[in-house]
Amino acid sequence: MTPPRRIFTHRITDHGFDSPSVAGSEIFPYWSFTKTALAICALRMVEQGLLSLDMPLAGYDFSLRQLLNHTSGLPDYGALPAYREAVARNEEPWPATRLLEVAMAQGRLFGPGAGWAYSNVGYLLVRDLTEQASGWSFAQNIKLLICDPLGLGSIALASSRQQFGRVLWGGAQSYHPGWVYHGCLTGTAADAARLLHGLFAGRLLGPEMLAQMCQCQPLGGALPGRPWTECGYGLGVMSGSWGAAGRVIGHTGGGPFSVNAVYHFPDMAQPLTVASFTDGQEEGIAEHAAAARAHPA
């Protein structure tokens, strides 16, 4: 008999934070929720005049906005057989130059702004841009621009096997976080919820930039096995509707051994944010858990 899956779900509102059934100290990989944090850093730098949102990047024909909303036309690397085989063999990550060479050999998918395609390659470039613009490493940007203002003590960038070793799930022992080329943050479910809630409380971006971040490109309707009834993408955030739970803005993440869903629910009588983490590879399980915690039946 298969043991029941452990789901760690934390909720926060403007009046406080609740964690009904877990200790709260467990450390998880944030996977693609890292994209939201990376987008926040980039948009903070746009506000500071260090980056431009819409000017073509030097040497490229696309803009930062198009990288952040996946309309640059860059390919992805996640489905490449050589990449997947190397990860499965628990090899050391390739140098970023090799990764880019292999990924870009697939060719551009479309011209900038002419379509939509999820691209981790694009977010690797965003990471590079933020490091160049600020003169700080990605880890320093996260600390100074997000964690320090919000008082988030558990969040850290995992760049080595040793750093990834603090993750709860046993699968972390046979995975190098360097395979996530834009970076893989780790931290508690509580701090994931606090990060996103702090964003929508106006503590990280000004109102105009936050509105730009949430400007959603519609991508379709219901997704099988998942709570989405409408889905779209903004600047580093997934956005749409989850049926009775209403509008949601945040990000789902997944890797070889775990998944998560970190979402803000602005239409509730009291706006709230939920972060859910579980093992396995079914993103819908984490999303449904977040929906249930936000909108109990």
Side-chain angles (χ1 to χ4, degrees):
M1 182 176 180
T2 303
R5 174 180 272 108
R6 296 181 71 192
I7 301 177
F8 298 81
T9 301
H10 293 243
R11 183 177 76 164
I12 186 170
T13 71
D14 290 340
H15 298 294
F17 166 78
D18 70 82
S19 172
S21 61
V22 296
S25 59
E26 300 89 353
I27 299 295
F28 306 101
Y30 285 2
W31 302 123
S32 280
F33 181 54
T34 302
K35 290 184 174 69
T36 301
L38 185 50
I40 292 168
C41 291
L43 295 175
R44 290 274 316 254
M45 293 178 200
V46 172
E47 288 183 323
Q48 296 165 1
L50 298 175
L51 290 172
S52 169
L53 193 53
D54 291 304
M55 289 288 291
L57 302 177
Y60 297 103
D61 59 355
F62 46 77
S63 66
L64 173 59
R65 183 191 299 275
Q66 290 165 334
L67 290 178
L68 292 174
N69 67 11
H70 298 294
T71 62
S72 66
L74 291 174
D76 196 19
Y77 57 75
L80 288 169
Y83 173 88
R84 297 176 72 88
E85 290 164 6
V87 172
R89 289 193 296 266
N90 195 22
E91 294 181 3
E92 293 298 294
W94 302 335
T97 51
R98 179 185 175 192
L99 181 282
L100 285 171
E101 179 181 357
V102 172
M104 294 304 293
Q106 300 172 96
R108 291 285 292 276
L109 303 179
F110 46 79
W116 188 91
Y118 195 85
S119 176
N120 287 295
V121 170
Y123 271 76
L124 169 59
L125 297 185
V126 173
R127 174 178 174 166
D128 289 344
L129 284 170
T130 58
E131 291 180 329
Q132 293 165 10
S134 67
W136 300 330
S137 70
F138 179 41
Q140 290 172 310
N141 283 326
I142 289 293
K143 181 180 186 299
L144 295 171
L145 299 178
I146 296 178
C147 293
D148 286 355
L150 298 180
L152 306 179
S154 75
I155 294 178
L157 179 68
S159 301
S160 68
R161 294 183 187 274
Q162 181 180 6
Q163 292 168 334
F164 211 50
R166 69 187 195 133
V167 165
L168 173 69
W169 311 118
Q173 305 305 315
S174 57
Y175 183 83
H176 195 302
W179 285 114
V180 185
Y181 280 85
H182 58 61
C184 184
L185 294 177
T186 60
T188 64
D191 276 354
R194 290 186 181 110
L195 192 165
L196 193 64
H197 202 75
L199 171 67
F200 286 100
R203 298 177 62 191
L204 296 177
L205 295 175
E208 291 185 9
M209 191 58 67
L210 182 58
Q212 291 271 341
M213 187 178 194
C214 296
Q215 187 174 346
C216 176
Q217 176 171 335
L219 296 176
L223 297 176
R226 300 172 69 174
W228 296 92
T229 51
E230 296 178 9
C231 55
Y233 206 93
L235 303 182
V237 288
M238 299 168 70
S239 181
S241 296
W242 284 3
R247 286 187 300 145
V248 294
I249 311 170
H251 219 293
T252 301
F257 56 85
S258 71
V259 291
N260 61 68
V262 186
Y263 284 92
H264 184 69
F265 297 78
D267 290 345
M268 296 294 177
Q270 181 179 217
L272 55 90
T273 304
V274 179
S276 290
F277 293 77
T278 190
D279 58 343
Q281 294 182 300
E282 298 178 55
E283 296 173 328
I285 292 176
E287 291 172 344
H288 279 296
R293 192 74 190 94
H295 187 73

